[in-house]
């Protein structure tokens, strides 16, 4: 065992509820997947595709819904053959299979109690067809990623749910999710050109193949005959056929798409329609081809405030008639909760309770059409009973992109913002229903009365133009009285929606577990029985997702409700929505931010010292703490800003022994000597060769601790020059701070980064000064990222005191040449400063070198450009909002500038990629695939260790955009200008 192996008990939760939670994982599950299931699947697929540990099972047990079901095993298939093998095994053994992609579903349809199949990890990719008119998409691809590829062609997918950054295309089709503008005309059922799917028997069907029906008839003759019999039966019943058509005149995802029998003329055509909205109960969707729609880029929008929910609802038809592409409603509770979202005006917190807002958007392809839309909108606005209950309220139409984006950010954060503001320890239920749009105002009044009578203060928002509303309820699932209150509300709500409004109990979130018991209430016994017959025909053994769409248990919606035990304050608001997962560098290696919190909650459900808790703790150190890059991009993706990276850094601190903390603080106090030693060691390694240094560091990792000693990697840069460029303080307009990483590691090329910054500044007539005593100082990120609080405090205070002196009390800006160091000095040091130094810090202006370079561009002359450059924006740039400046500088240096669609955090994170190289290899896989798919003249970024990480990921040489700028603006031979 390594000398400094941390004790898992250090992460054991503190005070917990008096009694263990009733829904805790039972002790007999502590061993993970039982035999023979474990051995059978490993033999069938290989151990790398089968997850069996208790930690794996628990982290996959939760999704964005209020339900929790712990699978027996998790399978991660790589291809259709793997999926077919799992289905064949399940048939032979009488087991059940549930498919899960993003886990953003709100009704529990991505959860299973037996074999859970992860179809996100190996199922990504977008192929743009016919100049963007169509797109072939793998099911694990997020909707946002697919639209990013289409945007370059001026096209977009029809479905547009608010969860687009996280939900996958396969999930969108399987749930027929729609969103803000899709309605009934742009959803997956309408815009899907073809799809490939695997039936429960393992038969693969590609609906685009000309002979698809012939093949299916050969493979599944009974299925084909049964589908045509059902079609004939439905068509022979004119009243039923008319009822089916009427049900889909408004948004409806409750039950199976019976109109597929009316729209499809062959078995394959019928199955194509049935697969949409089937929630994984008919088969696995392995590929889809969408017909895309024009992306109208001219946008005009208004956020309009009304005195009440009914008043706002009454205005909706007016904007719909005026041609609005979207009319979104947000009630008072939603507006209040949205204050937690960055950029939302703080004065919304004081809005009167009944206040309701409509977000109205018009889209147009050209200026003339946009002006015509705006004129129609203003005509409606003139006669509305608008209110202005807060200074930030303007009630005006705008084209400003930033303002419009802010409106949408608030609207799309509905579930997460309201959920984050719920009382601690409560479970969140998201309901989704539709009524005829002309009856929306009446439905709003009825909903308000109903929720008040049952003691709920729900938040309401939705796609008002389509008569589709969502509302959120919070209750304590550990209290039976609360559960019964919820059940009573649901009974009455469902009867109200169906009997009074003839509405849809699920408009776009799909049936799921919480509406399955009410399916017959909405559809009646005849149509419901047809759905049961369809399920038995396609999946006669009931292998796929039982109880997700069809369930005769009238109490099914209260089965499996999850308790939400309190955890650390920074993570407690989490509603497990999963928006954080696509941006997480460790998502395909160990755990995601959501899963780290899910595991923590299960520890809190357990009695102290239970076998399940012990098993979770044993895995948590590596799975959660060690392999977190700490980049905090999860905070950017989370609508309420939960920073799981910060929580993991706290856990790293908790695991440190007093001796480790003391040693880290000593290193900070003596950093000048440490810096010199590090540079000399790098120089020695450069002379000795990678093989010997790698062997030495690996031996040290085994002896000390893998998470403490970095592994020397091939292609590491050599040592930086011992001396920095000479500069003068007199006449300098800024102080230039070369980061310690750039003082230790050399830059590629003939001009070091420090020289490039100094030279470019001189050419622009804006000289900088490098203080003589920068050595021995650091941004403190080294200590901060590892959770060494004492060392962090030493260096944080040292750098701020030094910077305040260098900048003459903040009169000059401090230019920093590594984005992570800029972030560290500008923001991350603040909590560790003394009160006096916080005052000094407030006077500093910290500027990233990229921002500085972008400001210099108008003063510079470009003499030469590269043909192409590919960029790697760092996660620190995203936090600082500096990505645009990277693009600007790169565009001055290259004719073509490309940012890969899959660019994300490289996870090198200082030295984290040297501690756990598997982290960077996984995090950069898709980005590297694109970068290496073609030739680029330059590979640019703005942080040395991120550049090193990308070097290893791609085999290409990354370097700072500042170096490229120096080369581009370097006067030609004989040119003495500049």
């Amino acid at each position: 065992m390594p000398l400094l192996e941390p004790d898992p008990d250090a992460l054991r939760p503190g005070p917990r509820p008096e009694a263990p939670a009733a829904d805790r994982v039972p002790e007999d599950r502590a061993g993970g997947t039982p035999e023979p299931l474990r051995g059978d699947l490993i033999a069938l697929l290989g151990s790398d595709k089968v997850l069996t540990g208790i930690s794996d099972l628990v982290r996959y047990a939760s999704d964005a819904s209020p339900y929790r079901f712990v699978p027996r095993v998790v399978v991660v298939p790589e291809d259709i053959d793997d999926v077919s093998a799992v289905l064949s095994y399940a048939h032979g053994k009488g087991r059940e299979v549930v498919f899960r992609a993003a886990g953003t579903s709100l009704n529990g349809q991505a959860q299973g109690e037996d074999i859970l199949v992860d179809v996100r990890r190996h199922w990504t990719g977008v192929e743009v067809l016919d100049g963007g008119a169509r797109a072939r998409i793998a099911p694990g691809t997020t909707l946002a990623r697919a639209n990013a590829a289409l945007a370059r062609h001026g096209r977009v997918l029809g479905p547009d749910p608010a969860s687009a950054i996280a939900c996958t295309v396969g999930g969108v089709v399987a749930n027929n999710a729609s969103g803000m503008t899709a309605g009934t005309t742009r959803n997956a059922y309408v815009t899907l050109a073809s799809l490939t799917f695997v039936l429960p028997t393992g038969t693969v069907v590609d609906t685009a193949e000309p002979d698809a029906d012939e093949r299916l008839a050969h493979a599944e003759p009974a299925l084909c005959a049964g589908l045509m019999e059902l079609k004939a039966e439905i068509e022979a019943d004119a009243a039923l056929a008319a009822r089916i058509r009427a049900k889909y005149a408004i948004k409806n995802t409750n039950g199976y798409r019976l109109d597929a029998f009316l729209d499809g003329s062959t078995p394959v055509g019928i199955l194509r329609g049935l697969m949409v909205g089937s929630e994984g109960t008919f088969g696995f969707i392995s590929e889809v081809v969408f017909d895309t729609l024009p992306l109208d880029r001219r946008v005009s929008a208004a956020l309009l405030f009304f005195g009440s929910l009914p008043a706002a609802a009454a205005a909706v038809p007016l904007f719909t008639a005026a041609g609005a592409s979207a009319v979104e409603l947000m009630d008072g509770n939603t507006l209040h909760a949205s204050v937690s979202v960055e950029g939302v005006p703080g004065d919304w917190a004081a809005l009167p309770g009944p206040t309701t807002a409509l977000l109205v958007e018009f889209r147009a392809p050209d200026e003339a059409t946009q002006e015509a839309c705006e004129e129609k909108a203003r005509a409606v606005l003139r006669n509305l009973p608008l209110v202005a209950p807060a200074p930030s309220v303007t009630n005006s139409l705008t084209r400003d992109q930033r303002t419009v984006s802010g409106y949408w950010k608030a609207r799309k954060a509905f579930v997460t913002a309201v959920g984050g503001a719920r009382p601690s320890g409560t479970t969140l239920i998201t309901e989704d229903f539709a009524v005829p749009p002309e009856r929306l105002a009446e439905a709003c009044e009825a909903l308000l009365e109903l929720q008040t009578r049952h003691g709920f203060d729900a938040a309401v928002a939705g796609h008002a133009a389509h008569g589709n509303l969502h509302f959120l309820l919070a209750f304590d699932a550990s209290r039976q009285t609360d559960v019964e209150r919820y059940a009573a509300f649901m009974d009455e709500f469902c009867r109200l929606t169906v009997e009074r409004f003839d509405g849809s109990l699920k408009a776009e979130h799909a049936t799921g577990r919480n509406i399955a018991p009410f399916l017959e209430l909405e559809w009646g016994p005849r149509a419901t029985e047809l759905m049961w017959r369809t399920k038995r025909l396609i999946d006669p053994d009931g292998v796929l997702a039982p109880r997700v769409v069809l369930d005769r248990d009238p109490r099914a919606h209260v089965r499996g409700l999850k308790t939400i035990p309190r955890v650390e304050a920074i993570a407690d608001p989490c509603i497990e929505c999963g928006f954080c997962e696509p941006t997480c560098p460790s998502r395909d290696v160990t755990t995601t931010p959501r899963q780290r919190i899910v595991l923590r909650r299960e520890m809190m459900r357990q009695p102290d010292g239970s076998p399940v808790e012990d098993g979770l703790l044993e895995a948590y150190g590596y799975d959660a703490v060690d392999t977190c890059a700490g980049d905090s991009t999860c905070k950017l993706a989370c609508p309420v800003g939960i920073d799981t990276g910060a929580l993991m850094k706290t856990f790293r601190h908790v695991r440190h022994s007093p001796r480790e903390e003391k040693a880290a603080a000593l290193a900070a106090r003596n950093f000048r000597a440490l810096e010199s030693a590090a540079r000399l060691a790098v120089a020695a390694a450069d002379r000795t060769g990678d093989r010997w240094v790698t062997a030495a560091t690996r031996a040290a990792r085994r002896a000390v601790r893998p998470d403490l000693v970095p592994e020397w990697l091939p292609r590491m840069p050599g040592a930086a020059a011992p001396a920095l460029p000479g500069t003068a303080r007199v006449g300098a307009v800024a102080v230039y701070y070369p980061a310690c990483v750039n003082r230790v590691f050399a830059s590629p090329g003939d001009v070091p980064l420090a020289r490039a910054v100094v030279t470019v500044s001189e050419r622009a007539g804006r000289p900088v000064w490098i203080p003589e005593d920068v050595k021995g100082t650091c941004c403190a990120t080294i200590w901060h990222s590892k959770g060494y609080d004492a060392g962090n405090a030493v260096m944080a205070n040292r750098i701020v005191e030094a910077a305040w002196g260098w900048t003459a009390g903040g009169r000059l800006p401090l230019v920093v040449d590594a984005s992570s160091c800029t972030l560290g000095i500008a923001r991350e040091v603040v909590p560790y400063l003394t009160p006096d130094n916080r005052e000094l810090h407030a006077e500093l202006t910290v500027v990233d070198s990229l921002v500085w370079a972008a400001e210099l561009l108008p003063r510079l002359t470009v003499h030469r450009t590269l043909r192409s450059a590919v960029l790697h924006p760092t996660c620190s740039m995203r936090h600082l909002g500096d990505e645009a400046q990277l693009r600007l500088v790169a565009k001055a240096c290259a004719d073509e500038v490309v940012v890969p669609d899959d660019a994300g955090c490289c996870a090198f994170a200082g030295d984290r990629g040297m501690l756990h190289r598997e982290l960077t290899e996984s995090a950069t896989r898709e980005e590297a695939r694109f970068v290496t798919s073609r030739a680029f003249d330059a590979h640019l970024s703005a942080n040395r260790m991120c550049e090193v990480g990308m070097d290893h990921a791609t085999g290409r040489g990354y370097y700072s955009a500042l170096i490229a700028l120096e080369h581009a603006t370097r006067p030609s031979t004989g040119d003495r200008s500049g």
Side-chain angles (χ1 to χ4, degrees):
M1 179 181 290
L3 293 175
L4 298 176
E5 189 70 16
D7 180 4
D9 268 356
L11 298 178
R12 196 175 294 276
R16 62 188 79 199
E18 291 182 7
D23 65 333
R24 68 188 181 278
V25 177
E27 288 190 6
D28 62 5
R29 301 292 303 274
T33 303
E35 296 290 1
L37 180 61
R38 180 200 302 253
D40 287 350
L41 288 175
I42 289 175
L44 184 67
L45 302 170
S47 59
D48 58 327
K49 299 177 186 176
V50 184
L51 305 178
T52 62
I54 184 60
S55 179
D56 298 318
L57 306 184
V58 169
R59 66 188 172 96
Y60 273 95
S62 293
D63 62 7
S65 79
Y67 299 99
R68 195 173 77 108
F69 294 98
V70 183
R72 290 285 173 179
V73 68
V74 177
V75 173
V76 188
E78 291 185 359
D79 51 35
I80 284 183
D81 288 342
D82 286 345
V83 173
S84 295
V86 171
L87 292 175
S88 177
Y89 174 82
H91 267 287
K93 299 294 184 178
R95 307 205 71 108
E96 300 169 354
V97 175
V98 170
F99 297 108
R100 172 180 174 136
T104 55
S105 299
L106 296 167
N107 302 314
Q109 54 263 59
Q111 296 181 23
E113 299 172 77
D114 196 5
I115 301 174
L116 187 69
V117 183
D118 180 340
V119 291
R120 176 193 59 82
R121 186 179 302 185
H122 299 297
W123 301 83
T124 59
V126 182
E127 181 186 0
V128 177
L129 307 171
D130 304 333
R134 294 184 304 141
R136 186 187 313 278
I137 311 170
T141 308
T142 65
L143 196 67
R145 173 65 180 84
N147 279 330
L150 288 168
R152 287 190 290 274
H153 302 271
R155 308 292 290 185
V156 69
L157 295 178
D160 61 339
S163 59
I165 65 166
C167 69
T168 62
V169 170
V172 167
V173 175
N175 291 290
N176 198 21
S178 48
M180 275 68 69
T181 64
T184 57
T185 60
R186 295 163 57 108
N187 61 24
Y189 188 83
V190 175
T191 61
L192 193 68
S194 67
L195 75 163
T196 303
F197 54 89
V198 185
L199 289 168
T201 56
T203 299
V204 179
V205 180
D206 180 354
T207 66
E209 291 289 338
D211 60 346
D213 274 294
E214 182 180 340
R215 293 184 181 186
L216 184 63
H218 177 74
E220 307 273 356
L223 171 61
C224 291
L227 290 171
M228 297 308 290
E229 288 173 9
L230 285 171
K231 174 180 173 63
E233 183 178 335
I234 292 171
E235 290 179 333
D237 189 332
L240 175 62
R243 178 60 179 160
I244 291 170
R245 290 298 189 196
K247 288 297 294 176
Y248 293 110
I250 62 174
K251 293 174 70 171
N252 193 336
T253 60
N254 193 17
Y256 295 128
R257 292 284 315 211
L258 291 179
D259 55 344
F261 289 103
L262 302 175
D263 297 330
S265 58
T266 68
V268 168
I270 294 169
L271 283 173
R272 174 252 178 238
L274 284 172
M275 290 299 294
V276 178
S278 62
E279 303 173 58
T281 63
F282 288 159
F284 166 58
I285 299 171
S286 63
E287 184 179 84
V288 297
V289 177
F290 269 100
D291 291 322
T292 67
L293 300 169
L295 175 60
D296 294 332
R297 298 183 186 273
R298 291 182 173 271
V299 179
S300 304
L303 188 63
L304 309 173
F305 287 74
F306 297 80
S308 69
L309 183 59
V316 171
L318 304 177
F319 286 110
T320 303
S325 58
V327 184
E328 295 292 301
L329 182 145
M330 294 180 281
D331 79 338
N333 285 341
T334 303
L335 295 170
H336 294 156
S338 297
V339 172
S340 64
V341 178
E342 185 178 358
V344 171
D347 59 11
W348 286 12
L351 291 171
T355 305
T356 303
L358 290 182
L359 170 52
V360 182
E361 182 177 271
F362 293 82
R363 283 187 169 269
D366 52 58
E367 175 70 22
T369 306
Q370 185 176 26
E371 289 180 354
C373 288
E374 290 176 342
E375 183 55 40
K376 291 179 181 178
R378 292 190 184 97
V380 174
L381 285 173
R382 282 192 284 270
N383 299 307
L384 293 179
L386 300 176
V387 298
S392 67
V393 173
T394 63
N395 288 324
S396 61
L397 205 61
T398 181
R399 295 186 179 186
D400 182 72
Q401 185 175 352
R402 177 172 294 185
T403 302
V404 174
S405 295
Y407 293 161
W408 279 111
K409 188 175 182 180
R411 168 59 189 91
K412 291 181 179 182
F414 165 61
V415 173
T416 48
V418 174
R422 77 195 187 286
S424 181
T426 58
T427 297
L428 189 71
I429 298 279
T430 306
E431 291 303 336
D432 157 52
F433 72 107
V435 299
E438 65 273 12
R439 300 190 67 184
L440 182 66
E442 181 187 354
C444 287
E445 288 186 283
L447 177 62
L448 289 173
E449 188 278 329
L450 182 65
Q451 69 182 37
T452 301
R453 184 152 39 83
H454 285 271
F456 287 110
D457 188 17
V460 181
H463 318 308
H466 309 293
N468 176 196
L469 290 181
H470 308 310
F471 61 91
L472 303 180
L473 307 175
F475 63 93
D476 188 345
S478 67
R479 298 172 56 188
Q480 191 60 32
T481 54
D482 262 22
V483 172
E484 294 305 324
R485 181 164 61 99
Y486 161 66
F489 173 87
M490 283 300 296
D491 287 344
E492 192 167 350
F493 161 72
C494 290
R495 288 197 303 273
L496 172 75
T497 302
V498 171
E499 295 169 1
R500 179 171 169 182
F501 295 102
D502 194 18
S504 307
L505 292 176
K506 282 296 175 187
E508 61 177 2
H509 292 170
T511 314
R513 297 176 184 273
N514 64 332
I515 291 297
F518 304 99
L519 182 66
E520 187 170 331
L521 173 66
E522 177 176 340
W523 278 96
R526 174 89 167 94
T528 303
E529 185 55 32
L530 284 169
M531 293 181 189
W532 277 97
R533 289 169 59 190
T534 303
K535 170 66 172 173
R536 287 193 293 267
L537 177 65
I538 298 173
D539 183 20
D541 296 326
V543 169
L544 291 180
R547 308 189 71 168
V548 165
V549 176
L550 302 174
D551 197 329
R552 299 195 192 276
D553 178 4
R555 299 273 298 174
H557 57 307
V558 295
R559 173 179 172 266
L561 288 171
K562 66 184 174 188
T563 61
I564 304 292
R566 290 175 174 83
V567 291
E568 287 76 12
I570 193 172
D572 196 55
C574 177
I575 62 165
E576 303 173 8
C577 68
F579 282 25
C580 56
E581 293 193 336
T583 193
C584 178
S586 62
R587 64 188 179 276
D588 292 336
V589 178
T590 50
T591 57
T592 66
R594 167 169 62 178
Q595 291 174 337
R596 289 174 169 98
I597 296 170
V598 163
L599 290 167
R600 200 69 183 162
R601 283 177 170 159
E602 180 56 35
M603 293 179 202
M604 292 297 293
R605 292 188 186 99
Q606 293 290 323
D608 190 18
S610 76
V612 171
E613 184 190 37
D614 288 346
L616 297 179
L617 284 169
E618 187 65 33
Y620 202 76
Y622 174 76
D623 287 354
V625 181
D626 294 345
T627 50
C628 174
D631 63 310
S632 293
T633 51
C634 51
K635 178 182 179 181
L636 300 176
C638 176
V640 292
I642 295 173
D643 189 347
T644 313
L647 178 61
M648 294 304 108
K649 292 171 188 175
T650 300
F651 288 157
R652 288 172 190 166
H653 171 68
V654 169
R655 292 195 308 178
H656 294 155
S657 67
R659 182 174 61 174
E660 288 180 86
E661 281 287 327
K662 191 173 182 179
L666 184 64
R669 294 189 188 95
N670 296 279
F671 188 64
R672 184 181 181 91
L674 195 62
E675 177 187 331
S676 297
R679 196 190 65 76
L680 290 172
V682 171
D686 198 33
R687 291 192 299 270
T688 307
D690 289 332
R691 186 161 61 94
W692 298 103
V693 184
T694 299
T697 56
R698 285 178 178 173
R701 285 163 61 81
R702 288 192 297 270
V704 181
R705 182 168 123 207
D707 198 56
L708 201 59
V709 179
E711 177 183 347
W712 185 267
L713 302 178
R715 293 174 56 93
M716 289 296 289
L724 293 166
T727 55
R729 184 168 192 170
V730 177
V733 298
V735 176
Y736 169 33
Y737 180 68
C740 66
V741 66
N742 293 319
R743 305 195 302 264
V744 171
F745 290 106
S747 308
D750 58 338
V751 177
L753 176 58
R755 172 56 64 190
V757 175
V758 170
T759 301
V760 168
S761 300
E762 288 175 350
R763 288 177 189 155
R766 303 283 289 172
V768 296
W769 169 62
I770 302 175
E772 292 79 4
D773 57 345
V774 295
K775 291 184 178 179
T777 62
C778 172
C779 66
T781 300
I782 295 173
W783 292 268
H784 179 251
S785 66
K786 298 178 187 300
Y788 288 115
D789 287 4
N792 193 2
V794 169
M795 191 54 73
N797 284 281
R798 180 186 298 174
I799 186 59
V800 168
E801 290 168 3
W804 191 82
W806 296 332
T807 61
R811 285 192 285 275
L812 297 178
L814 183 74
V815 178
V816 184
D817 66 2
S819 57
S820 61
C821 302
T822 308
L823 180 65
I825 298 173
R827 299 182 188 175
E828 292 177 344
V829 300
V830 175
Y832 301 91
L833 299 177
T834 65
D836 288 344
N837 284 341
R838 287 193 187 191
E839 292 183 11
L840 300 185
H841 184 273
E843 298 178 13
L844 296 178
T845 301
V846 184
V847 180
D848 190 76
S849 56
L850 274 176
V851 176
W852 176 253
E855 293 173 356
L856 298 180
L857 285 178
R859 297 169 170 264
L860 294 168
T861 300
V862 174
H863 296 279
R864 64 190 64 77
T865 57
L866 301 164
R867 289 188 302 274
S868 62
V870 63
L871 308 185
H872 174 70
T874 70
C875 47
S876 295
M877 290 180 202
R878 292 184 60 196
H879 284 287
L880 293 164
D882 293 347
E883 288 180 89
Q885 284 85 347
L886 174 64
R887 290 176 184 261
L888 196 62
V889 171
K891 286 180 178 178
C893 306
D895 301 327
E896 179 194 13
V897 174
V898 178
V899 178
D901 288 337
D902 291 306
C905 176
C906 67
F908 211 75
D911 66 354
R912 186 74 26 190
M914 299 167 72
L915 297 170
H916 301 286
R917 60 188 302 176
E918 69 276 13
L919 187 57
T920 291
E921 289 168 1
S922 175
T924 57
R925 186 171 293 119
E926 294 302 320
E927 183 178 358
R929 183 175 289 121
F930 171 80
V931 170
T932 56
S933 69
R934 54 162 288 191
F936 291 98
D937 293 319
H939 301 76
L940 306 179
S941 191
N943 189 292
R944 192 70 192 104
M945 297 316 290
C946 294
E947 292 156 15
V948 171
M950 292 305 298
D951 288 353
H952 286 279
T954 64
R956 309 293 194 262
Y958 277 75
Y959 57 94
S960 172
L962 271 294
I963 295 176
L965 184 62
E966 188 284 323
H967 182 264
T969 60
R970 189 185 303 173
S972 303
T973 304
D975 185 350
R976 299 182 179 276
S977 64

